[in-house]
Amino acid sequence: MDRRRTGVAAAAVLLALSLAACNRGESAAGGGGGEGGGCSGIRVGLAVANLQADFFNQIKQSVDAEAAELGMEVQVSDAGGDSATQVNQIQDFISRQVQAIVYIPAGATAAGVPVEAAERANIPVVAVDRNAPDAPAATFIATDSVAAARTLGDWVVEQTGGQGKLAILQGQIGTTPQVDRQTGFEEALQDAPGIEVVAQQTADWAQDKAFSVAQDMLQANPDINIMWGQADAMALGAAQAVSVANVPQDVLIVGFDGDIAGIQAVKDGTIDATMVQQTQEMGRLALQSACDLVNGQDVPAQQLQEAFLLTKDDQQKAQEYLDTHP
């Protein structure tokens, strides 16, 4: 969607959100979580960016499982990657009088609108993976992507001897993970002036778009020997492009996320490495944080998780992650 139209749609919905919030007044989240401040019976809205992505599905599965354990009720919406759609979906959560919202923004555009509306309705928001810089949630749960991308970059420097032509397939520009992963990887490259970034372009986290973008990159720079997809899907798109291009040199391909397809690709040697995020843990932590916030407990503003480097040489660890995702 054109960003200008997205912004106009979000602004229009903001007025409706404001009215819904005002109508709810002080009664929004004050019900508590049952006797003794427990979690049973708490109603949570889970706003997912795009359930077509395994990464977000892993979080949803974890939230569902944790809700069953704690006796909480979870209502789910899928924005399909569209920010304006998600604004409307969160308006619906407010109208339904959920007591907390677990929010995975669909993009950087208008990401703060739902947080502001929920706050006006006294509904605490737990942001996962992405946080709106202009309207941060009550708590933000994510991978420490700066540290993780730095670890991945250090590994790339080690594998290449600090020499090479690098192409970067970026995620949605301006989103929290895209910015943080770019920052961390660039920090690693500061110690390797022999690695030259010859191309970088967004592929919006999508494998098919990454395939097309990577093909163009290889055509313009046929000597590329390192490709980094800021998500596993884009690394897989890059691997497809390298295979089709049939370049004479070996190309080191790395991703980020550790979703099921990415882990399998590392195990199979299709890509060389990825960073495995703790999606199941993030889902559990998000729901518990929602319960704590409803019950008036203090929750840290940031809850950053470690990611784990997985390379094609560690077959046993890859299988462990496929059997039980962290």
Side-chain angles (χ1 to χ4, degrees):
M1 176 179 285
D2 182 83
R3 293 194 176 200
R4 289 170 296 178
R5 286 192 290 137
T6 301
V8 170
V13 173
L14 177 56
L15 177 58
L17 283 168
S18 299
L19 293 173
C22 290
N23 289 336
R24 279 182 44 78
E26 295 298 320
S27 62
E35 280 188 42
C39 300
S40 181
I42 291 178
R43 300 181 308 281
V44 176
L46 172 61
V48 184
N50 190 350
L51 283 175
Q52 293 300 309
D54 178 68
F55 175 78
F56 299 132
N57 255 312
Q58 290 271 344
I59 294 173
K60 176 190 175 295
Q61 292 167 16
S62 178
V63 167
D64 286 343
E66 188 72 2
E69 285 286 325
L70 298 175
M72 299 172 71
E73 176 190 337
V74 177
Q75 302 171 16
V76 181
S77 67
D78 175 14
D82 183 71
S83 297
T85 296
Q86 192 168 53
V87 171
N88 284 316
Q89 290 169 338
I90 291 182
Q91 177 190 5
D92 187 49
F93 283 153
I94 293 172
S95 299
R96 292 186 200 176
Q97 299 187 358
V98 298
Q99 294 168 274
I101 294 173
V102 175
Y103 174 43
I104 308 174
T109 304
V113 172
V115 179
E116 293 169 344
E119 285 178 347
R120 284 190 296 274
N122 298 315
I123 299 175
V125 177
V126 177
V128 180
D129 187 55
R130 306 169 181 181
N131 205 12
D134 57 330
T139 186
F140 173 49
I141 297 167
T143 296
D144 187 344
S145 289
V146 175
R150 188 188 310 117
T151 296
L152 181 64
D154 287 341
W155 184 83
V156 168
V157 171
E158 179 183 349
Q159 296 301 304
T160 60
Q163 301 292 322
K165 306 288 187 180
L166 168 65
I168 302 174
L169 296 149
Q170 299 167 302
Q172 284 175 295
I173 300 299
T175 56
T176 308
Q178 184 277 316
V179 172
D180 288 353
R181 292 172 195 183
Q182 186 93 14
T183 298
F185 206 88
E186 286 176 353
E187 288 177 359
L189 295 184
Q190 288 176 3
D191 296 327
I195 294 180
E196 180 186 358
V197 179
V198 295
Q200 60 179 340
Q201 184 178 332
T202 183
D204 293 326
W205 311 116
Q207 182 171 339
D208 55 350
K209 185 170 182 179
F211 172 64
S212 176
V213 170
Q215 281 187 307
D216 292 342
M217 289 175 167
L218 287 164
Q219 186 172 5
N221 301 278
D223 55 348
I224 288 171
N225 64 340
I226 310 165
M227 301 197 85
W228 176 40
Q230 291 183 340
D232 287 340
M234 294 188 292
L236 286 166
Q240 289 177 300
V242 169
S243 177
V244 170
N246 197 28
V247 294
Q249 73 275 14
D250 292 332
V251 180
L252 186 76
I253 303 172
V254 296
F256 198 112
D257 277 343
D259 58 28
I260 297 302
I263 294 170
Q264 188 65 56
V266 172
K267 188 173 186 290
D268 295 342
T270 304
I271 63 177
D272 295 284
T274 188
M275 297 301 298
V276 179
Q277 301 192 78
Q278 298 184 66
T279 49
Q280 295 288 319
E281 175 61 21
M282 284 193 279
R284 289 189 292 268
L285 185 57
L287 204 64
Q288 184 60 60
S289 296
C291 172
D292 290 344
L293 287 165
V294 170
N295 286 319
Q297 299 180 28
D298 290 333
V299 176
Q302 285 196 87
Q303 303 183 72
L304 299 183
Q305 310 299 305
E306 182 184 7
F308 310 119
L309 175 66
L310 177 68
T311 75
K312 63 182 180 181
D313 296 326
D314 199 342
Q315 293 287 302
Q316 180 178 346
K317 182 60 67 175
Q319 190 58 54
E320 288 176 9
Y321 290 148
L322 289 171
D323 292 340
T324 306
H325 203 281

